[in-house]
Amino acid sequence: MQPPKFAEFVSCLMTAISSCALYGESHPLIREFSSRALTLLPDLCENDALSIVMIGGSLIVNDEPCVEKGVQVTGFMTRMKKKRIDRIVFRAGLDEEELRRFFSTVASRDALSSSPHIAVGTIEVKLGREGLEAGTLLDEGAGRVKEAIAGVSRFRPLDMTGLEDAVVSFLSALRRESKMLRIISPVKTHNEYTYIHATNVSVLTIFQAETLGMKGEELHDIGLAGLLHDIGKMFVATEVLDKPGGLDPAEWNELKQHPLEGAVYLSRLADVPPLASIVAFEHHMKFDGSGYPDTRKIGRTQHLVSQMVAISDVFDALRTERPYRKALDVRVIAGMLREGAQRREFNPVLVDSFLSSLAAIACVM
Ligand SMILES: [Fe+2]
Ligand SMILES: [Fe+2]
């Protein structure tokens, strides 16, 4: 195995996939990068196959760990995670037409399936994860969120692989547990609030999106956007975030910067879907255009996913005990969301759909 050739091979794949999304699969650029990738493939094969396996943030190429990943290889791993694929094998005999079909499917929102010389799959079964309880999956995901959030700084990129894995765990947890309120975690200690809240908002928003019929990659990006909605709070002083009483005007102004801070931070990261920046910016806006940041002068309306995250955000915040108030009962929160919908602070259709789906599966209202 020669790492530079592997990096070049993956770079050809990623350039072809990006070009496919922009120009379609028959564009000359895609032909050029397909043929370059096919020229490199024989040198990368062992026993006529190049095997790439992703376990968490680790990459194993032909049974050997690949330590130096680089931007393109990390980007490729992220793409595959979004397709719910963690094992891919390119076999000798692969031709340009089959490779171009692979690029086109990866670039689209369609599910990826194996073809004669490209085998794709998941390693969940090998690891015995199919028997895992929803709670375990959720704890695993929340652990990854905790690690990723703890590493945030203006000068360090986010651990997107960890966050992508967390969303996959949340999606699986929702498949396994029909009682929604058992899935979202209670906050046990004050220090847990940040990552448990991020986890709960992600799970609640995926739940809303699924009940509205959203699927696949779209659902995955929505889960990430839910996870990252408050990332801008990492740049707000802890004394302001944790202040038990009311905030003075200067402190309140600082706190109100977190949507903009989060959106700017996320927009600078290559692997983060643009939806996450939009949601970070808009999650404290209201359906009627009020709230903050105040964008009424420019007539900005809240994105549908930001409207969903705003509902999940308030729902989770109110059911959690905070230093300055007790946790509220779900029925009380439901009443508050309905009143908010009447005042046009939340999208009434989304509130209705969320509460009726929650009531239907959890029998809580
Ligand atoms: Fe927020
Ligand atoms: Fe929040």
Side-chain angles (χ1 to χ4, degrees):
M1 164 61 51
Q2 297 174 47
K5 281 205 171 170
F6 176 69
E8 193 184 341
F9 176 75
V10 173
S11 174
C12 289
L13 301 190
M14 286 302 285
T15 311
I17 291 164
S18 312
S19 309
C20 228
L22 286 171
Y23 313 117
E25 71 175 280
S26 42
H27 192 274
L29 255 184
I30 293 134
R31 288 179 185 278
E32 185 189 327
F33 284 99
S34 306
S35 92
R36 264 172 68 182
L38 289 172
T39 316
L40 293 164
L41 188 59
D43 283 346
L44 295 168
C45 283
E46 275 180 20
N47 298 322
D48 287 339
L50 167 64
S51 148
I52 305 170
V53 175
M54 287 150 278
I55 303 174
S58 305
L59 181 73
I60 295 157
V61 180
N62 287 342
D63 297 330
E64 274 181 42
C66 174
V67 186
E68 298 264 321
K69 292 204 280 278
V71 179
Q72 292 281 39
V73 174
T74 307
F76 180 71
M77 288 172 76
T78 305
R79 279 266 179 183
M80 291 300 114
K81 288 269 176 218
K82 278 194 181 173
K83 293 277 175 199
R84 318 280 301 269
I85 297 293
D86 34 30
R87 182 179 58 85
I88 178 158
V89 180
F90 294 94
R91 295 207 176 91
L94 176 64
D95 65 19
E96 205 179 300
E97 200 189 326
E98 190 179 342
L99 189 56
R100 279 194 286 121
R101 249 182 286 128
F102 168 78
F103 294 148
S104 155
T105 315
V106 176
S108 74
R109 291 192 170 267
D110 298 341
L112 192 57
S113 53
S114 295
S115 61
H117 302 89
I118 305 177
V120 293
T122 164
I123 49 169
E124 279 195 348
V125 177
K126 271 192 191 164
L127 294 174
R129 296 171 56 84
E130 81 280 16
L132 288 186
E133 299 254 327
T136 314
L137 284 164
L138 197 78
D139 287 348
E140 270 186 19
R144 291 199 179 105
V145 176
K146 185 181 180 182
E147 279 169 31
I149 289 182
V152 168
S153 88
R154 283 188 205 279
F155 313 104
R156 202 162 352 134
L158 269 172
D159 170 16
M160 283 309 288
T161 314
L163 293 176
E164 300 274 355
D165 284 347
V167 172
V168 170
S169 295
F170 303 157
L171 287 164
S172 307
L174 277 166
R175 300 271 164 317
R176 267 153 234 212
E177 174 62 69
S178 59
K179 297 225 176 355
M180 182 66 200
L181 290 181
R182 269 199 230 157
I183 292 189
I184 47 177
S185 307
V187 173
K188 295 180 201 96
T189 67
H190 180 55
N191 290 342
E192 287 179 346
Y193 183 72
T194 305
Y195 74 93
I196 296 283
H197 173 66
T199 297
N200 289 346
V201 169
S202 176
V203 172
L204 286 163
T205 311
I206 291 171
F207 169 74
Q208 288 190 60
E210 270 197 312
T211 57
L212 294 170
M214 296 176 184
K215 292 194 182 80
E217 243 181 271
E218 192 173 21
L219 211 51
H220 191 97
D221 286 357
I222 289 171
L224 274 178
L227 265 186
L228 296 169
H229 76 281
D230 265 340
I231 200 76
K233 282 193 178 169
M234 299 293 120
F235 310 119
V236 175
T238 326
E239 305 83 68
V240 173
L241 287 177
D242 294 345
K243 192 172 175 185
L247 300 179
D248 67 31
E251 291 165 337
W252 181 232
N253 259 341
E254 185 180 347
L255 181 67
K256 278 166 74 177
Q257 292 304 311
H258 81 271
L260 179 63
E261 292 269 12
V264 169
Y265 173 70
L266 294 174
S267 67
R268 288 182 178 146
L269 302 176
D271 295 336
V272 177
L275 180 67
S277 304
I278 294 170
V279 167
F281 185 73
E282 295 179 346
H283 72 279
H284 286 291
M285 279 176 66
K286 302 214 156 89
F287 184 56
D288 64 3
S290 61
Y292 67 92
D294 188 351
T295 57
R296 280 174 292 186
K297 276 196 200 120
I298 54 166
R300 187 182 178 103
T301 48
Q302 206 182 10
H303 190 288
L304 181 71
V305 178
S306 307
Q307 294 170 14
M308 292 194 268
V309 168
I311 294 170
S312 307
D313 192 24
V314 167
F315 183 91
D316 187 63
L318 294 177
R319 63 179 278 287
T320 303
E321 184 163 335
R322 302 291 285 137
Y324 42 87
R325 72 159 158 72
K326 289 241 166 281
L328 299 181
D329 182 81
V330 174
R331 288 172 192 82
V332 175
I333 301 171
M336 291 168 82
L337 285 175
R338 285 204 182 92
E339 283 169 22
Q342 274 170 7
R343 291 193 298 268
R344 314 286 292 173
E345 290 174 2
F346 302 111
N347 181 334
V349 176
L350 293 182
V351 168
D352 207 40
S353 156
F354 175 54
L355 295 178
S356 48
S357 308
L358 207 57
I361 60 160
C363 307
V364 290
M365 281 169 277

